[in-house]
Amino acid sequence: VTFLYRFAKYMGCDMSAAETTDITGFVDDHTISDYAVEGFRWAIGVGIVNGVGKDQFAPNRDITREQMATILYRFSKYKE
C-alpha cells in the first residue's frame, strides 16, 4: 500500500484520507512500520484495503495473488 500511496500522491490524487482516517480500531495497528502508517491510513480511507479478518491489518504477512489482484483492481477504480 505504501507504493500505491506514493504513486497516487505523485499522480496528484486526493490524499486527504491519509490524514483523516483512524486506524486505531485494528488490533495490530502498532505493528505497521512508521514509514507506512500514512499509506495504510490512506488505503483504508479510500477503500483499497480493509484489513484481514475483522480487525487486523497483518502488515508483515505475505499476501496472496488474489489479495494483490483485489488491491490493484480497487486502486484502478479509485483512479478513475
Side-chain angles (χ1 to χ4, degrees):
V1 295
T2 302
F3 173 79
L4 293 177
Y5 168 74
R6 290 176 180 169
F7 179 66
K9 192 173 186 178
Y10 171 78
M11 295 300 293
C13 297
D14 177 14
M15 307 310 287
S16 60
E19 299 171 11
T20 59
T21 302
D22 179 23
I23 61 172
T24 58
F26 292 88
V27 297
D28 58 352
D29 65 334
H30 64 282
T31 63
I32 301 171
S33 298
D34 290 341
Y35 74 89
V37 170
E38 196 171 322
F40 267 93
R41 287 197 326 241
W42 168 79
I44 290 286
V46 299
I48 292 175
V49 297
N50 48 7
V52 178
K54 182 181 170 192
D55 60 355
Q56 286 186 319
F57 280 127
N60 299 314
R61 186 167 48 177
D62 292 338
I63 65 172
T64 66
R65 180 175 33 149
E66 291 84 4
Q67 289 168 321
M68 188 65 203
T70 299
I71 289 169
L72 291 175
Y73 174 77
R74 290 176 182 166
F75 180 75
S76 74
K77 294 299 178 188
Y78 166 73
K79 299 265 308 132
E80 290 181 349

